[in-house]
Amino acid sequence: MRLKFLLKPGWLALTLVVFTFAITCFTLLAPWQFSRNTEREHQNAALRESFSGQPRSLEELLPNGAVPDQRTEWHLVALKGTYLPEGEVVARLRSVQGEAAFEVLTPFRTVEGTIVLVDRGYVRLDDKSRALPFAPPPAGTVDIVTRARHDEKDGKNRDAFADESTGGKLQSYVVDSQVVARAAKLDIRPGYFQLDVNQPGVLGALPLPQTDAGPFFSYALQWIAFGAMAVMGWLYFTVRELKPGGALTTERPQRRKSVAEMLAEDERSEVAT
């Protein structure tokens, strides 16, 4: 029975590889790219709205201690209060416009008493890969316009640190309000607020993301196509194996004799007679 070839070890291994790859494409890789495309759409919508919208108060945009999410991230937030430079932390290993940089994170106490984390922007590195000197934040009460951002996460859960390599300055591996809160021993509200251009205390204003759609939707379609191609290829070779002469069959069709072989047989038969 020709279907017996489906139980051969080689064919079973091929089947396992093909269907594992196809299932991964359909249930993991393509949905992941679709989700990234959705995130980009939300980000672009928030950015476009912020370009024409007016700054909102903290409680208006994020009431009752809400954390910035896809719906509220990048929206403009107006804050009034004072910087707390004693709790400042510098985020290391950053990249801004393709060049290495540090980001300066300074706690900010609003006039209502809430403490938030403000990302004052970036500074470049000196010849020893340390942060170049930067200006302290202004003293006293100031009005600033920021953009709401959600905290970054460090998979290793590393706290801020200070040693000789940092010149005694606290540094962190991510921009995370709770990392700064632990280092500065302050009750900082989750999420952080990125200073917009021409604001009191801003250093190098961080550039905004591009509002293009990105390649994620096309990548998702490509993974679906790859999975479908793998299954169709498996079906093609399965059908081919069911026909005589398949690569795994033990039966081989009889080879046709060449003209030279037929002439040689005729000569042998004439000699025998």
Side-chain angles (χ1 to χ4, degrees), residues 24-35 216 219-221 223-224:
T24 302
C25 288
F26 297 145
T27 64
L28 181 62
L29 297 174
W32 174 54
Q33 292 294 343
F34 279 130
S35 68
F216 309 117
Y219 286 168
L221 295 181
W223 283 120
I224 292 174

Side-chain angles (χ1 to χ4, degrees), residues 9-230:
W11 193 262
L12 289 174
L14 175 64
T15 301
L16 177 63
V17 170
V18 167
F19 281 90
T20 299
F21 174 73
I23 291 171
T24 302
C25 288
F26 297 145
T27 64
L28 181 62
L29 297 174
W32 174 54
Q33 292 294 343
F34 279 130
S35 68
R36 296 190 67 189
N37 181 71
T38 301
E39 291 173 3
R40 176 62 65 88
E41 289 177 346
H42 285 306
Q43 174 183 289
N44 291 344
L47 279 169
R48 285 191 292 267
E49 184 176 343
S50 72
F51 294 152
S52 58
Q54 294 298 314
R56 302 162 69 181
S57 69
L58 182 61
E59 283 304 315
E60 182 182 2
L61 181 67
L62 301 168
N64 303 317
V67 178
D69 57 17
Q70 290 182 349
R71 182 182 59 85
T72 55
E73 190 175 28
W74 299 108
H75 281 269
L76 293 174
V77 180
L79 300 172
K80 183 174 184 177
T82 55
Y83 285 104
L84 305 176
E86 62 276 10
E88 196 166 71
V89 173
V90 176
R92 61 191 285 135
L93 305 177
R94 316 299 292 179
S95 178
V96 178
Q97 296 176 331
E99 296 184 22
F102 290 88
E103 291 180 34
V104 180
L105 315 175
T106 309
F108 184 90
R109 190 191 305 275
T110 69
V111 292
E112 293 81 15
T114 302
I115 301 177
V116 299
L117 182 65
V118 172
D119 188 333
R120 297 206 288 132
Y122 70 92
V123 293
R124 296 298 184 187
L125 284 60
D126 62 17
D127 56 1
K128 295 183 179 179
S129 297
R130 293 181 299 194
L132 288 168
F134 55 87
T141 302
V142 294
D143 291 283
I144 58 176
V145 175
T146 65
R147 293 183 182 274
R149 302 291 309 277
H150 63 76
D151 288 323
E152 298 174 1
K153 295 303 177 185
D154 178 14
K156 298 181 179 179
N157 295 316
R158 292 169 290 189
D159 281 324
F161 68 97
D163 55 25
E164 293 182 1
S165 68
T166 69
K169 186 74 175 179
L170 281 169
Q171 292 190 5
S172 67
Y173 290 94
V174 290
V175 182
D176 184 346
S177 62
Q178 300 314 295
V179 170
V180 179
R182 291 193 296 269
K185 295 180 173 56
L186 294 171
D187 182 16
I188 299 178
R189 176 180 175 141
Y192 71 97
F193 298 85
Q194 179 179 309
L195 269 188
D196 216 358
V197 295
N198 302 321
Q199 296 300 308
V202 71
L203 299 168
L206 292 165
L208 297 178
Q210 298 295 318
T211 55
D212 56 48
F216 309 117
F217 187 79
S218 62
Y219 286 168
L221 295 181
Q222 287 177 20
W223 283 120
I224 292 174
F226 292 155
M229 289 168 61

